[in-house]
């Protein structure tokens, strides 16, 4: 199945521009406020040397005991019956999900969430598959994951394809692309973070050309498109600031959902 390109075509220039600004940012690392499960604490040390992993951003730590927010069965079934939105997210979803839920509810759209801090794409798609088998799926699926895949960016493309197989041709998937250049680390890691973010986003852009029912929420491009947005809308180079960044990111998601 082939995707007709929309009026907004993400470019490599925009995808990489955010990282250039982030690497040059003077935002102090001490101003960053960690979210449980954030990639900010996933760099391992061995023999006193920092392990940067295979892709320069470090190594993903254990996430299974991190903070999570998962709707109860009643809410899941109610959302499915109302044809609302199922959301699968990471620490950004844990932080921003409640505000997003309130805004969608005000629009008459029910939402059920499966947000888990520190979680990469593969187990998020596992959760989607489980809900599909247990409850069935509504017409709209929101994927707010990918930031934790800066440690292994090649894994994303296959999981996007898997997501689209699970949901089928008749449902819409909204996928928020990623921006990471963590201010708690030095310039080499920030550059690696951005390079890996761009790699992930290019995989998402490629998938959008393959699937008519995949919508990309262009968070990275939004951050790169205006001076000072990175410093204003991200509090640690990854997580949205509250309320400015949270409102901006949730606003992009709501606009996408309303557009269909």
């Amino acid at each position: 199945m082939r995707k007709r390109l929309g009026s907004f075509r993400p470019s490599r220039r925009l995808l990489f521009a955010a990282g250039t600004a982030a690497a040059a940012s003077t935002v102090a690392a001490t101003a960053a406020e960690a979210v449980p499960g954030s990639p900010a604490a996933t760099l391992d040390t061995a023999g006193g040397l920092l392990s940067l992993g295979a892709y320069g951003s470090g190594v993903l730590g254990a996430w299974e005991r991190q903070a999570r927010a998962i709707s109860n069965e009643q809410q899941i079934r109610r959302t499915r019956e109302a044809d609302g939105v199922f959301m699968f997210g990471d620490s950004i979803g844990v932080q921003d999900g409640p505000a997003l839920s309130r805004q969608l509810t005000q629009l008459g759209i029910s939402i059920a969430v499966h947000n888990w801090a520190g979680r990469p794409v593969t187990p998020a798609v596992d959760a989607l598959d489980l809900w599909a088998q247990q409850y069935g799926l509504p017409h709209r699926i929101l994927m707010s994951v990918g930031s934790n895949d800066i440690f292994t960016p090649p894994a994303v493309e296959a999981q996007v394809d898997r997501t689209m197989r699970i949901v089928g041709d008749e449902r819409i998937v909204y996928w928020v692309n990623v921006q990471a250049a963590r201010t708690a680390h030095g310039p080499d890691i920030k550059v690696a973070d951005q390079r890996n973010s761009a790699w992930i986003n290019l995989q998402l852009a490629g998938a959008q050309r393959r699937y008519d029912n995949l919508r990309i929420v262009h968070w990275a491009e939004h951050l790169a498109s205006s001076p000072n947005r990175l410093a204003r809308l991200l509090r640690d180079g990854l997580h949205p600031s509250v309320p400015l960044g949270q409102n901006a990111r949730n606003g992009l998601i709501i606009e996408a959902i309303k557009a269909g």
Side-chain angles (χ1 to χ4, degrees):
M1 174 166 57
R2 287 286 170 185
K3 166 69 183 173
R4 178 179 56 81
L5 291 178
S7 58
F8 186 91
R9 184 192 300 260
S11 68
R12 290 174 182 265
R13 179 184 62 80
L14 272 178
L15 288 169
F16 281 93
T20 302
S25 173
T26 58
V27 177
T30 55
E33 178 186 354
V35 165
S38 162
T42 56
L43 294 176
D44 294 336
T45 56
L49 297 176
L50 193 65
S51 173
L52 299 180
Y55 301 97
S57 285
V59 179
L60 179 64
W63 55 268
E64 290 85 355
R65 294 187 179 181
Q66 301 298 335
R68 55 192 180 271
I70 301 175
S71 296
N72 60 37
E73 183 173 349
Q74 182 181 16
Q75 178 64 20
I76 297 167
R77 293 191 182 279
R78 183 163 57 242
T79 299
R80 169 65 183 88
E81 292 167 3
D83 198 26
V85 175
F86 278 4
M87 175 184 185
F88 300 86
D90 49 27
S91 59
I92 299 176
V94 172
Q95 173 188 281
D96 293 354
L100 178 64
S101 296
R102 288 192 296 271
Q103 291 174 281
L104 287 176
T105 299
Q106 291 172 359
L107 295 172
I109 300 173
S110 179
I111 182 171
V113 305
H114 197 297
N115 296 326
W116 201 314
R119 179 175 62 180
V121 168
T122 298
V125 179
D126 291 344
L128 166 66
D129 194 16
L130 181 62
W131 278 21
Q133 295 178 48
Q134 290 185 335
Y135 309 110
L137 297 175
H139 184 64
R140 293 163 292 193
I141 307 297
L142 171 61
M143 301 300 291
S144 178
V145 289
S147 295
N148 293 296
D149 292 86
I150 58 173
F151 307 106
T152 53
V156 172
E157 182 174 10
Q159 295 306 315
V160 177
D161 288 338
R162 182 177 163 223
T163 296
M164 303 313 293
R165 289 196 300 270
I166 292 169
V167 304
D169 296 342
E170 303 302 320
R171 298 180 180 88
I172 299 175
V173 175
Y174 304 90
W175 203 304
V176 187
N177 69 10
V178 304
Q179 165 59 37
R182 294 164 294 162
T183 59
H185 302 297
D188 289 346
I189 294 175
K190 286 193 284 188
V191 168
D193 284 359
Q194 181 55 38
R195 180 183 64 244
N196 295 331
S197 296
W199 188 350
I200 291 165
N201 292 342
L202 288 170
Q203 291 174 75
L204 290 170
Q208 189 179 35
R209 292 191 288 270
R210 298 194 300 275
Y211 299 103
D212 289 315
N213 54 329
L214 176 60
R215 312 281 191 266
I216 305 302
V217 180
H218 295 284
W219 176 232
E221 292 85 349
H222 179 78
L223 291 167
S225 63
S226 181
N228 301 320
R229 277 188 177 171
L230 282 164
R232 291 174 55 248
L233 302 184
L234 296 180
R235 57 182 173 76
D236 58 1
L238 173 65
H239 298 93
S241 59
V242 179
L244 289 179
Q246 182 180 92
N247 289 341
R249 190 174 185 273
N250 283 349
L252 292 174
I253 293 170
I254 289 170
E255 286 177 12
I257 291 174
K258 289 170 67 175

